[in-house]
Amino acid sequence: MRHVGCPFAEATARDMCAAASSAPDVEWVAVTHSSPAVTLQWCALVGGCDELRLVEDESRALYASWGLGRTGVRHFLGWRSLREVVRLRSDDGIRNARSDGTRWQTAGTFAVDAAGVIRWRHIPRHAGERPDLAEAVWALNLRGPLTA
């Protein structure tokens, strides 16, 4: 997740819960860089976290170990992200909430098989680009190499 309070993090959490319902054999893990208390408060506010295992990484060391560093201003203030935040608000009622964490954190989504092999990944080109979770689940059913 980018940060607690981010509309894209909320939309992704909702997407993950919906995907978890259709793929219950997959363990769904959401990583935030907020404290456990703030993360749980946010989850209660936005919903969509019941099916997820929550991991808090306040130091963002876990993010770094997966290659997820800081973004630039165009990542979350570029026209594509701004267009998507407007769409989320109008279509889904999702808006920017009280923020905790850094807006500069890059999000990332990974599909890791039972042997620990990364079978799929999604590193967004802009903050509003969400992962295709059906594609991630599909990749777990393959024996092939990493796809991006």
Side-chain angles (χ1 to χ4, degrees):
M1 306 270 182
R2 289 189 63 247
H3 64 85
V4 167
C6 173
F8 307 124
E10 180 177 341
T12 300
R14 289 181 183 185
D15 292 347
M16 289 175 72
C17 263
S21 296
S22 57
D25 54 329
V26 174
E27 181 179 14
W28 296 87
V29 180
V31 179
T32 75
H33 55 277
S34 295
S35 70
V38 170
T39 298
L40 289 175
Q41 266 184 315
W42 177 75
C43 282
L45 178 68
V46 304
C49 298
D50 295 338
E51 306 289 328
L52 311 179
R53 182 169 67 123
L54 298 171
V55 173
E56 292 84 12
D57 178 28
E58 291 180 87
S59 70
R60 297 193 331 269
L62 190 55
Y63 286 85
S65 71
W66 285 77
L68 302 173
R70 296 173 61 90
T71 66
V73 72
R74 291 183 63 202
H75 185 77
F76 66 90
L77 286 178
W79 68 269
R80 294 177 299 181
S81 293
L82 294 175
R83 182 181 64 207
E84 182 61 12
V85 82
V86 168
R87 191 200 64 73
L88 282 176
R89 184 174 181 157
S90 65
D91 294 355
D92 301 324
I94 297 174
R95 60 180 60 172
N96 217 357
R98 185 169 179 223
S99 179
D100 186 74
T102 176
R103 295 177 189 274
W104 300 99
Q105 180 60 55
T106 300
T109 307
F110 301 86
V112 182
D113 69 14
V117 176
I118 299 171
R119 297 291 177 180
W120 177 90
R121 71 171 175 235
H122 175 262
I123 310 299
R125 292 171 293 191
H126 59 89
E129 183 182 70
R130 298 192 335 249
D132 182 336
L133 299 177
E135 191 177 282
V137 171
W138 182 80
L140 290 173
N141 294 319
L142 300 177
R143 302 276 187 260
L146 171 74
T147 62

